[in-house]
Amino acid sequence: MNQSLKLGVLDLVPRLGESTFEDALQQAAELARCAEAWGYHRYWAAEHHDLEHLSCASPEILLSHIGARTERIRLGSGAVLLPHYSPLKVAENFRMLAALYPGRIDLGVGRAPGGSAHTSMALSGNFLGHVADLPNRIRALTELMEDRYRYEDVPVAAKPVPAIAPALWMLGTNTKSAGYAAEFGTGYVFGQFMSDTEGAEVLRSYREAFRPSAHLKKPQTIVAVSVICAETEELAREMAMTAARLGQQRSGQLERESVARLGQDGRDGQNEFGMPEIAVTGNATAHSSDSGAADDAGPKSSTAVDGRVDPISDRAMEDHSGAGGSFPRILTGTAESVKSVLKEMAEKYACEEFLIVTPVADYAARLKSYRLLMGM
């Protein structure tokens, strides 16, 4: 890998095959340990709620477990879904992590529900109202992280206060989330693998509008991409197609369950950095469909940002030209072909860091894909 590029892991903490939730969480820890050994810069865990095949409802607890089993790799949330929570509690949780694992903690913040409509209501009540209030919540969170927050004009602090503060990031798929990141002076992670929007334009809008803050003096970006890496192009394609068949089965089951719960035609809820709808291309430079991604502003009629929570969607066997530009939602192929596309993306997006999510059907294949990508 080009030494100027940094790679990290974005883990949806999936249940694969016949695994239990306990198995999935142990596999997450194993992935983080291996990622550290292979030279990955970050390990981030996503947050989801009441989804049958995703296992992490509390990234901060999982990161604490992983932190005790690793030494150097940065640990973060991809993302904590801020509309559900008190900014004070989020700040306390991640300051606690930063005190336990100095210089290693990232706080990634998202704005979607991470589950069904009824799950969101059970978790935090009026989710749409919380989304509307998101700018105030982000402002409160940044003030808490800077020790200048006041409630009814009385100072309130998030304790403990670590020597090295968590790095603050905003996650999203379009200019709305990029605007929040720019306004509040946080880093920005663009979800290339699930966005309809041209990534270069989103990242440019963030950089142009960026306001320096106590957290960050200059804009900082990461691009999240899906990768399936194997020894040959043919094997990578076969792995993707196997995952596609599993995704078809789960998508149908999930939609039937959603309709039964809600009495409506369609899927409920949306989650930040959920599993992408992708097209199996057979090589790293082909295009995939961008037709399924949703705006990351709040809940719509899908169970993921793009309408899927499964590794690969029921349209994964198709090949379309992406609305979001010249890059596919997923890169499949050998390490060499994937690296070449990452270098192209780095140049076009003016970005030197990527978070990698690998949507395959079993844990051994997932580990191998990550290992091959790092040339190990």
Side-chain angles (χ1 to χ4, degrees):
M1 176 61 63
N2 188 332
Q3 292 302 308
S4 66
L5 295 181
K6 291 181 180 178
L7 296 185
V9 172
L10 176 60
D11 191 359
L12 282 291
V13 197
R15 289 178 60 207
L16 301 177
E18 300 300 318
S19 64
T20 64
F21 286 111
E22 290 84 354
D23 295 332
L25 293 169
Q26 291 308 311
Q27 289 291 338
E30 178 66 12
L31 174 57
R33 288 193 297 266
C34 290
E36 179 176 77
W38 296 333
Y40 282 87
H41 184 57
R42 305 178 197 269
Y43 171 90
W44 283 18
E47 175 185 333
H48 300 92
H49 299 279
D50 192 23
L51 296 178
E52 184 64 24
H53 298 290
L54 298 176
S55 306
C56 184
S58 180
E60 54 270 38
I61 293 178
L62 179 60
L63 296 176
S64 184
H65 173 79
I66 289 173
R69 289 155 178 79
T70 53
E71 297 179 357
R72 301 174 306 279
I73 193 168
R74 292 192 66 89
L75 304 174
S77 52
V80 166
L81 304 178
L82 188 58
H84 287 310
Y85 306 118
S86 156
L88 175 59
K89 188 59 176 175
V90 172
E92 288 175 337
N93 284 341
F94 278 80
R95 279 190 156 188
M96 175 76 81
L97 285 169
L100 289 169
Y101 308 112
R104 297 178 59 193
I105 301 301
D106 299 321
L107 170 50
V109 175
R111 43 198 297 264
S116 71
H118 285 91
T119 299
S120 296
M121 289 186 287
L123 182 61
S124 61
N126 182 3
F127 180 80
L128 288 177
H130 300 329
V131 170
D133 188 51
L134 187 62
N136 292 326
R137 293 187 180 222
I138 300 174
R139 182 176 294 106
L141 181 61
T142 58
E143 290 175 355
L144 284 159
M145 302 294 276
E146 297 170 7
D147 294 308
R148 56 184 184 88
Y149 177 75
R150 303 177 74 86
Y151 188 87
E152 294 184 346
D153 207 32
V154 176
V156 174
K159 303 280 181 63
V161 180
I164 303 175
L168 192 57
W169 296 83
M170 190 79 198
L171 285 75
T173 59
N174 58 31
T175 54
K176 185 75 171 181
S177 52
Y180 284 141
E183 178 182 356
F184 293 102
T186 75
Y188 181 62
V189 183
F190 174 68
Q192 160 71 25
F193 70 103
M194 61 179 187
S195 179
D196 273 340
T197 311
E198 168 56 49
E201 294 300 321
V202 175
L203 293 169
R204 185 180 299 114
S205 72
Y206 161 72
R207 294 187 183 99
E208 290 176 351
F210 180 81
R211 301 177 186 175
S213 68
H215 306 284
L216 199 61
K217 301 307 179 186
K218 296 180 180 180
Q220 187 173 357
T221 59
I222 301 175
V223 176
V225 296
S226 280
V227 170
I228 295 178
C229 196
E231 292 94 338
T232 67
E233 303 284 344
E234 293 75 16
L235 182 56
R237 178 177 175 82
E238 181 181 340
M239 290 165 59
M241 293 176 73
T242 299
R245 287 190 288 270
L246 177 62
Q248 289 175 338
Q249 296 169 2
R250 290 180 176 176
S251 295
Q253 177 184 0
L254 183 61
E255 183 161 357
R256 288 191 297 272
E257 291 174 353
S258 297
V259 171
R261 287 200 307 269
L262 297 182
Q264 64 185 34
D265 182 17
R267 293 174 292 275
D268 58 322
Q270 163 189 353
N271 55 73
E272 197 78 65
F273 278 22
M275 279 298 191
E277 177 175 335
I278 58 180
V280 178
T281 64
N283 64 76
T285 57
H287 300 284
S288 72
S289 172
D290 280 335
S291 60
D295 189 296
D296 59 355
K300 297 192 177 179
S301 60
S302 63
T303 46
V305 168
D306 58 351
R308 293 291 185 267
V309 297
D310 297 294
I312 300 179
S313 79
D314 55 359
R315 287 193 286 174
M317 310 308 293
E318 302 177 12
D319 182 19
H320 299 278
S321 181
S326 57
F327 299 108
R329 293 245 185 109
I330 186 169
L331 311 182
T332 65
T334 64
E336 290 72 19
S337 63
V338 170
K339 290 174 187 176
S340 70
V341 179
L342 289 177
K343 291 174 184 177
E344 291 178 24
M345 292 177 67
E347 182 175 353
K348 181 173 182 179
Y349 290 173
C351 176
E352 296 185 346
E353 185 168 357
F354 296 91
L355 282 174
I356 307 297
V357 58
T358 295
V360 295
D362 67 82
Y363 295 116
R366 183 173 71 153
L367 281 176
K368 189 171 186 179
S369 179
Y370 278 109
R371 177 175 62 80
L372 290 173
L373 184 59
M374 290 298 286
M376 303 299 289

